[in-house]
Each structure stands twice: as C-alpha cells, then as structure tokens.
Amino acid sequence: GKAIILRIAEAGELLGLPATLSGRPYEVTAEVSEQARVNFIPRAAFLRFLSAHPEAVIQVAQLLTDGHYAEHEVIQSLGLSRSASEKLARFFLGWSASHAHGQNHLRIALTQEEIGEVIGVSRETVTRLLTAFNKRNLLTVKGSTINICNRAALQSLAGA
C-alpha cells in the first residue's frame, strides 16, 4: 500500500512515450490533481506520424533522453540520500530550480503526504522535518507557499 510519486507532469507533456514506442504495457498509474484535458493517441497512429515526420523523431529522442536523466535523478535521490532531511532539502531545491526558476519563494500544490511519496518517506516525517526546518530558519511554510530563508544551509543539508 505504499505509493511513490515518480514525477509530476506539466501541461502539454506526453505520458507513456516509452510504452508507446516499445509496445509494452504502461507500468505506472497517472492521476490528475486538478482539472485537466487528456488526449489519447493510438500507438499505430503515433508511429505513422513519426514515419511521416522524421524531424519529430529527434524531438521524441530528446524527450526520452530527458526522461532518462529525470528518472536517474529520482533513483539517485531515493537511493543515495543518507537521511530524510537530505531528501526533503533536495526536494525543495529541485522544486525551486524547476518550478520557481531558482527563486526562494515557491508555491507547491502537493500535500505533505504527496511530498512524502515523492521523496520516499511518510507524511509524519515530512511534517516533523518541516517543523525542524522552520525552527532552524531554513524555510517557512504558509499553506502551499514555501519561502527558502537560507538557501546555502539548505544546500549544505542536501549535500550539494
């Protein structure tokens, strides 16, 4: 009954690209957290499109490569982080880099349970660590808004 969130897709992303190309089953579950419109492209139609548009094959290869490196980062974060606090620090630094463009003011529309599922710890651990990070003046939390108060200390905690 344990869930791990592997990644959070953004608007316009292709889901299931490796499964579509390989013809193998899609091995993960995708859920939406807000209203979304999803389109399905049958495998045969997608492969015909790629055959007719060789320039798209390069873009697909780039998407697969980006996905590979993103998955590598997830495995590295889950497997090589020494502590839950390191994982949470890495999560906030990564979120600020990809969603807030390196800014210290973040909006995260994930619950503490979902953050735990992203980093491989329990919701209770996330709650405890957020309290500890706040006491150490690393960050402040107000609802879904996170403010990184001491990026250098957070980076040090993350082993960066």
Side-chain angles (χ1 to χ4, degrees), residues 5 54 62 103:
I5 296 176
Q62 184 64 53
Q103 300 300 313

Side-chain angles (χ1 to χ4, degrees), residues 67-77:
H68 168 78
Y69 284 110
E71 291 165 5
H72 182 265
E73 286 180 21
V74 169
I75 292 167
Q76 185 178 30
S77 176

Side-chain angles (χ1 to χ4, degrees), residues 9-15 37 63:
E10 301 292 329
E13 281 192 55
L14 294 175
L15 300 179
R37 189 174 96 195
L63 289 171

Side-chain angles (χ1 to χ4, degrees), residues 4 14 20 35 82 103 107 113 141 152:
I4 296 176
L14 294 175
T20 300
Q35 187 174 7
R82 292 179 202 86
Q103 300 300 313
R107 179 157 162 67
E113 182 172 357
V141 180

